[in-house]
Amino acid sequence: MSRPLIETTPTAPAGIRSLTYAEALNEALREEMRRDPRVFVLGEDVAVWGGGGIFGVTKGLVDEFGPQRVRDTPISEEAIAAVAIGAAVAGARPVAEFMYVDFMGLAMEPIVNQAAKIRYMFGGKARVPVVFRAQQGAGRGNAAQHSQSLEAWFAHIPGLKVVTPSAPADAKGLLISAIRDDNPVVFLEHKALYNLRGPVPEGEFTIPLGVADRKREGRHATFVGVHTMVHKALAAAETLAKEGIELEVIDPRSLVPFDLDTVVASVRKTGRLVVGHEAYERCGIGAEIITQVVTAAFDALDAPPLRLCAKNVPIPYNAGLEAAALPQAEDIVTAVRRLVA
Amino acid sequence: MAIEIPAALTQEQLRAMLRTMLTIRQFDQRALELYREGVMRGSTHPYIGMEAVAVGACAALHPNDRITSTHRGHGHCLAKGGDPRLMMAELLGKATGYCKGKGGSMHIADLEAGILGANGIVGGGIGLAAGAALAAQLAGRDDVTVCFFGDGALNQGILHESANLAAIWKLPVVFVCENNQYAMSARADKFTSVPDPTVRATAYGFPGVGCDGMDVLAVYRAVADAAARARAGGGPSLIVCVTYRYFGHHVGDPLNYRDKAEVDAWRRRDPIERFEQTLIGRGVLAAADVEQLRGEVAGEIESAVAFAKASPEPELTALMEDVYA
Ligand SMILES: Cc1ncc(C[n+]2csc(CCOP(=O)(O)OP(=O)(O)O)c2C)c(N)n1
């Protein structure tokens, strides 16, 4: 129909397989379920539908692990979250899937008031090793109730970790770490990235939460972005490079914990910061990132930091309006040009 | 089995009911084509096979009554008086559409016609329906709200909370569950703890009625009774219409969770064919009249598509409009 939202990375280096983002997530789940019998998966349409998940992330898991460990649930988001939390406190390691992040609104009570607080409220006596997976983001004409990016909701809550991979290898390595983490982790994927292909190491491969990745080196400005914005920034960097502007692109990969050191080191080099996300601008994670950088390294900044985010508007259905609601690669190019001028 | 025609329905109404069923079917067939051609984006959830539910229920309503709808909402909207041209324009994201192109298939609404919106959230309309009924009660009006929801929504907490509220406040709301057997891949009989969800109404202390959702007159009768009760201050009811969706949940459904024999068995009970046979058998319509209706509807749908295609895209300046009143 239309061109893919995200151009795919062509080939993997010799010796490393190339997988899609969805396949990488699937491999992480499979390997962890093999390694640890306490890990189980639950959610809507994760087992039967098309062999596993509307985006194929849980594909084939029920065949290998059976319906006890790969459980299709009724449409009951609050119960999915709460049951997973209860199971986690009682010794299991659940991975609960929410079909769209937008539906997590129905599950906010258990996630925010139970999962995030149980350990602290109980004086450190409990562990809540649960992963809440969901996909978010816009670009597919899914309109206002199926296109949001809500990472800031969760990042606001002490006690939750928040992970947002943009590349297949990161998806695998971070999901394994999330499952092994003894805390509740909100693991947010992006619907436009599932078919993105890239090299993914085989076997045991973890990426610690809280370690950013520099996706491109540059010396004139630093871009810090979430999910698709990493790819848009890489595309923008190509354009800018032709004009002699070198954009450094950093993917924090996890928002809580956040790797401030890597970002600050970059800003100390470039003197300029742009943050980007598909989440609404107001009170988005970008505001938090800028505040942290300004507080830590005000002296390093040669220009006021910029935000390129979704407009403060529900995501519209119409293709032209939807594109206009979201920050695009061209917006990054224009903003960075102005910033370095 | 001879089907009784309720005395309250005039020949004109019966004809209009059949016409609306045909409109829904052809509208959604056309929507599927447009989607597959890539003219329409997002997703589309065809109501094909379930026409008797929306049409039977809405035939029992007054113009001032309200409905809340679901992600599978085209049928509800057409049955409550929605304009196929404005709907089609919305599916194509055009400025002339019901929502100015901002909502798409899953958010079509026509407040003047009493359609409080399709809904992208499973169960999202249930509490809203109770609220609309509360507003009518507070204003001393006698209109009722029909709340359509799928069997999948039976397991959302909001149904329990709203049903209890509606019962204790005697709200004029009719909960109409469309049990089309599946919520995506989840079979209703496996994902709901009781085989017959009407028994749940007992727990709330209001009537729970089952009905053949492939029979438009059966649905009409059940909803007319419940609406009359609600209008008279008797409070809510639950009606469970047993029906089937012929197509996948949406385009791209792998459909690996049901077999063709099952689909064929349901198709043999097609609600439109059955109603046509009834009307012809009773001499309400001749076979030729039915053919003529079909042709009229086809023309109307084609003109809706033409209107939608010829309509302008929204201006980019519309992006930030309508966020606040
Ligand atoms: C709260 C919420 N959870 C999940 C979904 C995804 N979803 C959309 S439709 C659907 C199935 C709904 O089934 P049912 O209510 O029986 O209606 P049907 O599609 O059969 O008409 C699901 C799981 C959603 N839209 N909202």
Side-chain angles (χ1 to χ4, degrees):
Chain A
M1 197 166 83
S2 51
R3 77 191 158 87
L5 292 160
I6 301 299
E7 302 298 337
T8 56
T9 321
T11 43
I16 300 189
R17 306 150 309 152
S18 141
L19 293 183
T20 67
Y21 184 90
E23 288 164 350
L25 292 163
N26 180 269
E27 186 165 278
L29 289 169
R30 191 181 295 275
E31 289 178 4
E32 282 311 282
M33 290 182 79
R34 282 183 189 154
R35 194 185 61 83
D36 184 347
R38 296 170 302 174
V39 177
F40 75 97
V41 167
L42 75 167
E44 294 157 16
D45 298 284
V46 297
V48 169
W49 174 278
I54 63 164
F55 294 98
V57 173
T58 51
K59 206 174 192 70
L61 296 183
V62 72
D63 298 331
E64 181 169 348
F65 303 104
Q68 290 295 323
R69 290 179 71 198
V70 185
R71 309 180 80 95
D72 272 337
T73 66
I75 307 171
S76 307
E77 281 80 8
E78 186 174 2
I80 294 169
V83 163
I85 296 162
V89 174
R93 303 188 79 87
V95 180
E97 174 175 310
F98 298 87
M99 203 181 273
Y100 283 72
V101 78
D102 313 72
F103 314 155
M104 289 181 80
L106 288 154
M108 285 308 261
E109 192 294 310
I111 294 172
V112 169
N113 290 321
Q114 311 302 332
K117 299 178 173 55
I118 281 176
R119 180 173 178 81
Y120 187 83
M121 290 188 307
F122 296 175
K125 292 202 185 94
R127 280 174 215 276
V128 193
V130 56
V131 179
F132 306 109
R133 285 185 45 244
Q135 55 81 23
Q136 62 174 23
R140 290 168 45 116
N142 294 124
Q145 295 174 335
H146 288 73
S147 302
Q148 299 176 91
S149 289
L150 298 175
E151 65 271 5
W153 281 14
F154 304 102
H156 185 62
I157 303 297
L160 300 179
K161 295 187 178 182
V162 183
V163 181
T164 52
S166 72
D170 294 347
K172 175 177 175 179
L174 291 166
L175 182 52
I176 293 178
S177 295
I179 294 171
R180 294 183 189 177
D181 201 289
D182 276 337
N183 298 285
V185 179
V186 179
F187 193 94
L188 299 172
E189 299 150 23
H190 193 293
K191 56 172 76 63
L193 294 176
Y194 282 125
N195 293 322
L196 175 72
R197 211 163 250 295
V200 178
E202 250 169 291
E204 172 76 18
F205 170 63
T206 59
I207 295 172
L209 308 188
V211 178
D213 188 32
R214 191 167 60 183
K215 300 290 185 190
R216 180 179 175 122
E217 212 178 316
R219 57 198 170 95
H220 296 124
T222 300
F223 183 93
V224 179
V226 179
H227 277 157
T228 50
M229 293 309 293
V230 172
H231 300 278
K232 288 178 182 176
L234 290 173
E238 286 294 319
T239 307
L240 290 163
K242 294 183 193 121
E243 303 165 17
I245 302 170
E246 292 173 26
L247 181 64
E248 180 143 300
V249 179
I250 294 178
D251 180 354
R253 300 194 291 196
S254 73
L255 303 176
V256 180
F258 181 72
D259 183 357
L260 183 62
D261 292 347
T262 296
V263 175
V264 164
S266 174
V267 170
R268 288 214 173 275
K269 178 174 65 174
T270 64
R272 291 172 172 84
L273 174 65
V274 182
V275 297
H277 48 69
E278 268 191 34
Y280 315 120
E281 180 180 80
R282 186 168 57 234
C283 297
I285 197 72
E288 175 66 27
I289 294 172
I290 288 176
T291 304
Q292 290 196 26
V293 172
V294 167
T295 306
F298 183 68
D299 58 302
L301 287 160
D302 296 327
L306 280 184
R307 285 187 284 179
L308 294 173
C309 311
K311 304 235 161 34
N312 294 318
V313 66
I315 307 295
Y317 169 69
N318 172 275
L321 293 183
E322 185 184 30
L326 300 173
Q328 304 297 349
E330 303 84 78
D331 301 322
I332 302 175
V333 171
T334 312
V336 172
R337 269 190 203 134
R338 249 192 292 123
L339 204 58
V340 302
Chain B
M1 182 191 64
I3 295 177
E4 285 270 336
I5 294 186
L9 290 172
T10 64
Q11 300 224 340
E12 218 20 70
Q13 282 172 304
L14 292 165
R15 194 185 132 89
M17 286 165 74
L18 177 61
R19 194 179 197 287
T20 307
M21 291 173 81
L22 292 168
T23 306
I24 294 171
R25 180 148 309 180
Q26 294 194 19
F27 183 95
D28 264 351
Q29 275 163 347
R30 206 64 185 83
L32 277 176
E33 283 167 24
L34 291 166
Y35 190 87
R36 293 200 178 104
E37 289 162 19
V39 176
M40 180 187 163
R41 64 199 304 255
S43 58
T44 189
H45 302 88
Y47 198 69
I48 296 170
M50 300 164 63
E51 296 88 347
V53 181
V55 173
C58 291
L61 298 183
H62 300 168
N64 289 338
D65 292 337
R66 293 182 174 74
I67 63 166
T68 60
S69 172
T70 68
H71 57 286
R72 200 175 301 287
H74 303 166
H76 308 139
C77 188
L78 288 165
K80 188 66 176 65
D83 181 340
R85 290 165 21 114
L86 305 189
M87 290 173 66
M88 205 54 99
E90 189 58 35
L91 298 196
L92 298 201
K94 296 302 182 71
T96 53
Y98 262 121
C99 314
K100 305 179 194 167
K102 292 176 175 176
S105 164
M106 269 195 298
H107 305 297
I108 294 176
D110 182 344
L111 282 298
E112 273 140 48
I115 302 161
L116 301 188
N119 210 309
I121 301 300
V122 169
I126 296 174
L128 306 185
L134 174 60
Q137 188 189 62
L138 286 171
R141 298 191 310 254
D142 78 342
D143 50 61
V144 305
T145 304
V146 163
C147 170
F148 291 107
F149 61 96
D151 47 280
L154 280 168
N155 302 315
Q156 283 290 27
I158 186 73
L159 178 61
H160 169 67
E161 298 180 24
S162 307
N164 182 63
L165 263 189
I168 61 171
W169 291 346
K170 288 221 175 309
L171 298 179
V173 58
V174 183
F175 298 106
V176 175
C177 175
E178 308 183 299
N179 182 0
N180 64 5
Q181 315 305 318
Y182 293 93
M184 295 186 69
S185 67
R187 286 178 53 145
D189 60 354
K190 289 202 186 146
F191 284 77
T192 310
S193 61
V194 285
D196 174 11
T198 61
V199 303
R200 289 208 195 163
T202 312
Y204 302 114
F206 55 71
V209 181
C211 94
D212 179 355
M214 305 300 269
D215 175 355
V216 67
L217 296 175
V219 177
Y220 167 83
R221 239 181 258 109
V223 175
D225 288 351
R229 180 186 143 89
R231 252 184 254 291
S237 311
L238 169 65
I239 297 170
V240 179
C241 303
V242 180
T243 180
Y244 203 75
R245 68 165 153 77
Y246 289 180
F247 286 81
H249 175 71
H250 49 41
V251 177
D253 184 337
L255 280 173
N256 63 322
Y257 50 83
R258 69 183 202 188
D259 57 32
K260 191 164 172 303
E262 181 184 287
V263 182
D264 291 343
W266 282 91
R267 279 179 178 265
R268 282 195 289 278
R269 303 177 48 206
D270 187 69
I272 296 183
E273 278 169 34
R274 275 170 86 187
F275 192 40
E276 284 172 0
Q277 292 312 316
T278 304
L279 295 182
I280 293 170
R282 295 306 177 90
V284 177
L285 289 176
D289 297 331
V290 173
E291 274 323 299
Q292 193 196 326
L293 270 184
R294 250 183 237 287
E296 263 175 54
V297 167
E300 196 185 345
I301 298 300
E302 275 327 301
S303 91
V305 173
F307 169 77
K309 285 189 169 168
S311 289
E313 298 280 328
E315 300 285 341
L316 287 187
T317 50
L319 176 64
M320 301 307 292
E321 293 166 4
D322 303 320
V323 181
Y324 297 98

